Amino acid sequence: MNKKSQTAQAILDTAESIVQESGFNGFSYAHIADKVGIRTASIHYHFPNKEDLAVALIERYTDKFVAASARIDAESPNAPERLRKFIAMYRDPVLEYRTCLGVMFSSDASTLSEKAQEQLTGFISATLSWLEQVLSLGRSEGTLRFEGDAETQAHIFLASLQGAQLLARSFRDIRRFDQITEELISAFA
Amino acid sequence: MNKKSQTAQAILDTAESIVQESGFNGFSYAHIADKVGIRTASIHYHFPNKEDLAVALIERYTDKFVAASARIDAESPNAPERLRKFIAMYRDPVLEYRTCLGVMFSSDASTLSEKAQEQLTGFISATLSWLEQVLSLGRSEGTLRFEGDAETQAHIFLASLQGAQLLARSFRDIRRFDQITEELISAFA
DNA sequence: GTCTATAGGTGGATAGAC
DNA sequence: GTCTATCCACCTATAGAC
């Protein structure tokens, strides 16, 4: 179920990449068509309008996160390593001057449809829930130390990573990102 | 010097407000003209093109921050109170679903001109420098406690506020912002 | 300084042939 | 499923009258 054709996947791949770089208002059907090697009319066949495309983008991004976090849980038994892999997920796009799709959609939230906004909060909630669970695990394991409740710490951690992406991007300097995340990790020690 | 006419100020006021809500790619000359009550051609008289407008926006925003931070320094002798007033500056726009202009321009950085990007990093650098100085002061006063160097902590603090704005905006819930900032403050105690 | 008028381009979107 | 052709709204920007 939810099978998408190869072309639809290519369109989503390209759109995701452009949104991560320029935001949802920073791209057009023409941009996608050029990169994919099709005509704009073909995009409309797969995604009738821009809202459909936005919703599909966040939907798929959420699915990818759920899969990735499950993989992390399976591969890494201890909480600190899970956190480090999570940070790596947020670091990679910055190397290409991109950010998490959630950051971009959050910025452009006011121009998104109701449904797209709901998808967005769904994605962020999934991320926060996973982080909270990792932090709780770390605390009970004794591998992570922090004050206050895990939910608040999850918020701070995610907010810091989002801001770190924006700062590193503005300065075109990945070290700003690393500087922030290394201190975040060591604060839990 | 750098005196701007009343109309130019009104244009900047409106543009700033729209950018904070919808991003730099989310507004047009027509939007501004409508709100200010002039024609789009008049905007071009004051700001020949969109790049000029972007540069003027960040320039003025930086000036306003410098003035505001100087006022905070003058009014509040101790570091924790300075931090709290800084947080308030980032909280206010969220109430109207806006963010710091720096966040929006950072998101749209890839579509900005070279000069606008330089202005942007100038603004962020000014913010980071001021924060670093406040944190250093607090540490030497004994009113703020933290690990590592003040520069890194300034980065984390700013990144957290930026992310907190995005999170609160996405959920349309100011309490997410407050939850984050209260924990940030208490972590320094 | 602000206006009308308009140029020239690009945006998303549709109809209909293949 | 993908194409060509096309529509129309909107965009930034300019020329020139007032």
Side-chain angles (χ1 to χ4, degrees), chain B residues 53-189:
Chain B
L53 187 49
V55 171
L57 274 176
I58 316 182
E59 217 161 44
R60 192 181 71 149
Y61 206 75
T62 304
D63 291 345
K64 287 200 288 186
F65 169 73
V66 170
S69 59
R71 210 178 316 124
I72 291 176
D73 288 345
E75 291 174 357
S76 306
N78 66 341
E81 194 169 323
R82 288 185 189 178
L83 276 192
R84 257 178 247 114
K85 289 191 175 173
F86 181 78
I87 290 175
M89 281 175 52
Y90 275 73
R91 186 183 194 270
D92 287 343
V94 179
L95 295 171
E96 295 164 315
Y97 306 115
R98 305 192 211 290
T99 72
C100 170
L101 200 68
V103 171
M104 282 302 183
F105 274 114
S106 291
S107 296
D108 297 335
S110 72
T111 59
L112 296 179
S113 69
E114 271 301 312
K115 189 167 181 192
Q117 289 192 36
E118 283 168 25
Q119 290 288 132
L120 172 61
T121 56
F123 167 71
I124 302 175
S125 295
T127 306
L128 287 170
S129 296
W130 183 80
L131 270 177
E132 183 183 341
Q133 168 233 318
V134 172
L135 292 172
S136 293
L137 171 68
R139 173 181 260 171
S140 62
E141 276 180 353
T143 53
L144 297 178
R145 253 179 304 184
F146 55 88
E147 303 287 321
D149 56 310
E151 193 219 347
T152 301
Q153 285 298 326
H155 274 75
I156 293 182
F157 196 78
L158 179 58
S160 299
L161 287 200
Q162 291 179 334
Q165 284 192 332
L166 291 178
L167 288 179
R169 215 172 99 95
S170 297
F171 286 104
R172 299 183 171 279
D173 180 6
I174 188 70
R175 287 171 303 173
R176 305 252 179 174
F177 183 88
D178 294 333
Q179 188 182 357
I180 290 173
T181 55
E182 279 163 21
E183 181 60 33
L184 284 176
I185 283 288
S186 71
F188 282 129

Side-chain angles (χ1 to χ4, degrees), chain A residues 21-22 25-26 103-104 106-111 117 120-121 124-125 128 147-149 151-153 155-156 158-160 162-164 166-167 169-172 176 179-180 183-184, chain B residues 21-22 25-26 103-104 106-111 117 120-121 124-125 128 147-149 151-153 155-156 158-160 162-164 166-167 169-172 176 179-180 183-184:
Chain A
E21 188 178 335
S22 310
N25 297 314
V103 171
M104 282 301 183
S106 291
S107 296
D108 297 334
S110 72
T111 59
Q117 289 192 35
L120 172 62
T121 55
I124 302 174
S125 295
L128 286 170
E147 303 286 322
D149 57 310
E151 193 219 347
T152 300
Q153 285 297 328
H155 274 77
I156 292 182
L158 180 58
S160 299
Q162 291 179 333
L166 290 178
L167 287 179
R169 215 172 99 96
S170 297
F171 285 105
R172 298 182 171 281
R176 306 251 180 175
Q179 188 182 357
I180 291 172
E183 180 61 34
L184 284 177
Chain B
E21 188 177 335
S22 310
N25 296 314
V103 171
M104 282 302 183
S106 291
S107 296
D108 297 335
S110 72
T111 59
Q117 289 192 36
L120 172 61
T121 56
I124 302 175
S125 295
L128 287 170
E147 303 287 321
D149 56 310
E151 193 219 347
T152 301
Q153 285 298 326
H155 274 75
I156 293 182
L158 179 58
S160 299
Q162 291 179 334
L166 291 178
L167 288 179
R169 215 172 99 95
S170 297
F171 286 104
R172 299 183 171 279
R176 305 252 179 174
Q179 188 182 357
I180 290 173
E183 181 60 33
L184 284 176

